[in-house]
Amino acid sequence: MQARKAMLVLHGKQAMNDELRDAVHDMRDSGWVLDVRVTWEAGDAQRLVTEALAAGYSHIVAGGGDGTLRDVAEAMGQAGTDASLVLLPLGTANDFAKAAGIPLEPAAALALLNVAAQPIDLGQAGDQLFLNMATGGFGSQVTANTSEDLKKVLGAAAYLFTGLTRFSELQAASVELQGPDFHWQGDLLALGIGNGRQAGGGQELCPDAVVDDGLLDIAVLPAPQEMLGTLRDLLAGDGLFVRARLPWVEIKSAQGLDLNLDGEPLQTTNLRFEARPAALRLHLPAGSPLLSRPG
């Protein structure tokens, strides 16, 4: 592989981003071969990663929202490649990037190509890989039902706004979680299974998660006896959460559980989650909070 050759896999709606275009030209002027490929429909990100690896690219840049970043990370994790990944966060929430300290400005994010890559874990849910977090319960429904127009106007605050306006629909899900020396069963309002720390536009469900410990952080918000307060109060009450750090956990829910996997909605009655240690090489800024040994 050539040392300074990278492919940018870019979400199609960012193709006319002038700030990004300038940043790409600056990287090329600094000596990088930086080719750009744009996605058009579902499956394009995975296909472009496969083509990049076959062509010998040593670095891949994922440009887009949380879903695009997950698609690229998943494709690279499944390929088992030594190529490394740079995240170029261009979405609304940018949850993983913000928790990791990755710059949101295109030029600063692309500059991470010049920083040494670190081995990080990925999460696995069934046969799917994820970069940041799986969420379940009411929080995942809010994420799935937040409109694109509202996100354009309010940014990450759109998720909280949607949650507050739909608070009357709040329903508990009856689930059972089983892992090594861990068992919890009951009704929950929200569930987080984190490789990263936050989801839903900034809600820190797993505030102590790191991406290089070979473990997933589990956060369960049990349903209270009475639905009092607001969604903001519930999510802010960290003492209400049941927490664990596990290499794997299995979830069972007889009536079905709504989940969101880095922006990808799914529903399941039985699913196993596990950590995939050192499954991906990622360029992170020095001192990133998501590293157990920053720097």
Side-chain angles (χ1 to χ4, degrees):
M1 291 186 180
Q2 299 179 26
R4 293 172 65 83
K5 181 178 178 182
M7 177 186 286
L8 167 56
V9 178
L10 181 66
H11 191 284
K13 70 179 182 180
Q14 297 292 335
M16 302 304 293
N17 186 323
D18 290 336
E19 184 181 5
L20 173 59
R21 186 179 295 271
D22 291 341
V24 168
H25 288 314
D26 288 344
M27 290 301 294
R28 289 171 175 168
D29 290 342
S30 73
W32 278 90
V33 175
L34 181 54
D35 297 323
V36 181
R37 301 291 183 270
V38 177
T39 65
W40 172 257
E41 56 192 352
D44 279 357
Q46 293 90 335
R47 175 179 57 79
L48 291 171
V49 168
T50 300
E51 292 176 1
L53 297 178
Y57 285 86
S58 55
H59 305 75
I60 295 176
V61 181
D66 291 331
T68 298
L69 272 51
R70 183 197 80 92
D71 287 345
V72 173
E74 179 181 39
M76 294 180 69
Q78 289 177 337
T81 178
D82 287 332
S84 58
L85 175 64
V86 167
L87 300 179
L88 179 59
L90 300 169
T92 302
N94 300 315
D95 280 306
F96 184 88
K98 289 177 179 177
I102 294 172
L104 301 185
E105 299 76 19
L110 284 176
L112 290 175
L113 279 166
N114 297 312
V115 175
Q118 306 276 351
I120 71 159
D121 309 330
L122 292 175
Q124 182 166 349
D127 59 357
Q128 298 183 71
L129 299 180
F130 61 96
L131 175 65
N132 184 41
M133 186 178 296
T135 58
F138 185 68
S140 63
Q141 296 172 24
V142 168
T143 302
N145 288 291
T146 301
S147 74
E148 291 298 322
D149 290 339
L150 192 61
K151 285 190 281 187
K152 289 178 183 177
V153 175
L154 297 180
Y159 295 102
L160 179 61
F161 178 83
T162 301
L164 293 174
T165 57
R166 297 174 62 98
F167 189 72
S168 61
E169 303 173 28
L170 191 61
Q171 293 182 346
S174 180
V175 302
E176 180 180 7
L177 289 87
Q178 183 77 50
D181 299 318
F182 176 80
H183 180 263
W184 187 90
Q185 185 170 5
D187 294 338
L188 60 76
L189 293 182
L191 168 70
I193 301 176
N195 188 43
R197 294 185 175 180
Q198 65 183 54
Q203 295 298 333
E204 279 200 330
L205 294 177
C206 303
D208 299 318
V210 292
V211 294
D212 57 356
D213 61 351
L215 300 170
L216 295 172
D217 279 45
I218 315 300
V220 179
L221 180 61
Q225 293 296 317
E226 297 181 5
M227 300 297 185
L228 300 177
T230 66
L231 182 63
R232 186 198 300 268
D233 296 330
L234 286 170
L235 293 176
D238 188 70
L240 301 176
F241 281 86
V242 175
R243 299 193 182 279
R245 185 169 287 163
L246 305 170
W248 60 267
V249 65
E250 292 182 349
I251 299 177
K252 297 179 182 179
S253 178
Q255 80 275 27
L257 179 66
D258 290 311
L259 295 171
N260 191 288
L261 206 63
D262 286 0
E264 181 73 20
L266 61 98
Q267 188 178 66
T268 185
T269 57
N270 192 338
L271 191 62
R272 179 184 173 98
F273 291 82
E274 57 186 282
R276 288 272 299 270
L280 180 68
R281 297 179 63 241
L282 182 66
H283 296 260
L284 289 169
S288 172
L290 290 188
L291 294 173
S292 61
R293 296 174 295 277

